[in-house]
């Protein structure tokens, strides 16, 4: 008993040979079109283009199988759209209607999934913005700096939101982060200026004390030294211990 020639049967179902050319019947709203020519026999040509369809179908199967187990399914959307378009242009003989339908169903499901993920990402980013804006006014510089760094990492790890919201959210988050670091920089600059002024004042008092060390006007000198000690305490500057010890 002879086995049916399945590729040839499928090829004749979806195409035909005419005037030495291989034709694909109307599909997906497209008119019949010539997809190749007969080189040897009509049947060989039909089988060849049926095999081309099978190779394309395998490509679709592989993509949809990968999609099912993918972590970042949104990255597959453009691939699916590209294959849908190829269904209308691919030169083969087979059931392109079914392949196109499967891809369209995957596209619709993917759009729903992407929309849900973007809603989740939006909620996450709004939470990060709220935290960043709170920290932007903090003066607990060490702790807040670490928290801001963690927020930046969390922001980078959070997926995209709808395009029309991206610029606004990016601006709010990075604006709050930049405000915090600008304030920290200004604080550090002011602290350095104050430290320099404190050192200058201490040195001034030290120099005044140095001028009195050889004085033989003991009563007046004692009174002046007490005044210098009081002035020293009034400066109340916070200096590193080593530097303070050197001045003292």
């Amino acid at each position: 008993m002879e086995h049916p020639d399945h590729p040839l049967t499928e090829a004749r179902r979806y195409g035909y040979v005419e005037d030495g050319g291989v034709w694909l019947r109307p599909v997906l709203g497209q008119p019949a079109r010539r997809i190749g020519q007969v080189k040897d026999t009509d049947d060989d040509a039909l089988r060849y283009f049926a095999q081309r369809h099978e190779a394309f179908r395998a490509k679709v199967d592989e993509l949809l199988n990968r999609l099912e187990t993918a972590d970042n399914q949104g990255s597959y959307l453009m691939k699916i759209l590209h294959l849908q378009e190829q269904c209308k242009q691919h030169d083969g003989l087979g059931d392109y209607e079914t392949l196109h339908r499967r891809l369209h169903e995957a596209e619709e499901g993917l759009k729903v999934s992407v929309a849900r993920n973007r809603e989740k990402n939006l909620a996450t980013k709004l939470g990060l913005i709220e935290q960043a804006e709170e920290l932007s006014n903090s003066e607990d510089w060490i702790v807040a700096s670490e928290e801001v760094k963690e927020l930046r990492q969390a922001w980078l790890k959070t997926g995209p939101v709808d395009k029309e919201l991206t610029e606004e959210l990016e601006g709010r988050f990075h604006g709050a982060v930049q405000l915090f670091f600008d304030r920290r920089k200004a604080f550090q600059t002011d602290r350095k200026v104050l430290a320099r002024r404190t050192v200058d004042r201490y040195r001034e008092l030290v120099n005044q004390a140095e001028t009195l060390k050889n004085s033989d006007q003991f009563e007046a000198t004692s009174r002046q030294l007490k005044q210098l000690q009081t002035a020293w305490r009034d400066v109340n500057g916070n200096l590193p211990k080593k530097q303070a010890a050197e001045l003292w």
Side-chain angles (χ1 to χ4, degrees), residues 95-129:
D95 188 1
Y96 288 102
E97 291 274 4
T98 296
L99 293 181
H100 189 274
R101 176 180 53 76
R102 290 174 61 201
L103 289 166
H104 179 70
E105 290 173 353
E107 175 198 352
E108 292 302 307
L110 198 53
K111 285 180 177 178
V112 172
S113 176
V114 168
R116 288 174 180 168
N117 285 337
R118 290 190 172 181
E119 288 179 3
K120 181 180 177 181
N121 294 339
L122 175 60
T124 299
K125 288 194 170 185
L126 287 174
L128 294 173
I129 288 171

Side-chain angles (χ1 to χ4, degrees), residues 18-156:
E18 183 177 277
D19 297 331
V22 180
W23 288 73
L24 175 66
R25 300 182 191 279
V27 62
L28 296 172
Q30 306 293 316
R33 61 185 177 90
R34 179 170 174 153
I35 60 174
Q37 64 183 20
V38 176
K39 293 183 178 180
D40 295 318
T41 67
D42 291 358
D43 287 354
D44 286 340
L46 290 172
R47 288 191 192 93
Y48 169 76
F49 283 100
Q51 290 168 357
R52 281 183 56 82
H53 172 271
E54 280 301 298
F56 183 75
R57 183 189 60 77
K59 187 176 181 180
V60 171
D61 288 344
E62 180 186 6
L63 178 67
L64 296 181
N65 288 336
R66 291 207 314 267
L67 173 63
E68 290 181 0
T69 58
D71 293 329
N72 183 16
Q73 292 188 329
S75 64
Y76 282 77
L77 182 57
M78 293 307 298
K79 297 182 180 72
I80 288 174
L81 293 175
H82 178 65
L83 283 182
Q84 280 190 70
E85 191 61 28
Q86 278 193 306
C87 285
K88 300 177 182 180
Q89 303 170 356
H90 191 260
D91 293 337
L93 294 176
D95 188 1
Y96 288 102
E97 291 274 4
T98 296
L99 293 181
H100 189 274
R101 176 180 53 76
R102 290 174 61 201
L103 289 166
H104 179 70
E105 290 173 353
E107 175 198 352
E108 292 302 307
L110 198 53
K111 285 180 177 178
V112 172
S113 176
V114 168
R116 288 174 180 168
N117 285 337
R118 290 190 172 181
E119 288 179 3
K120 181 180 177 181
N121 294 339
L122 175 60
T124 299
K125 288 194 170 185
L126 287 174
L128 294 173
I129 288 171
E130 183 178 348
Q131 294 178 64
E133 289 176 342
E134 289 178 1
L135 288 172
S136 68
N137 295 314
S138 174
E139 294 184 356
D140 189 352
W141 305 112
I142 296 177
V143 174
S145 293
E146 290 303 314
E147 291 180 355
V148 168
K149 289 178 183 178
E150 291 175 2
L151 289 180
R152 292 170 87 174
Q153 289 300 315
W155 185 270
L156 292 174

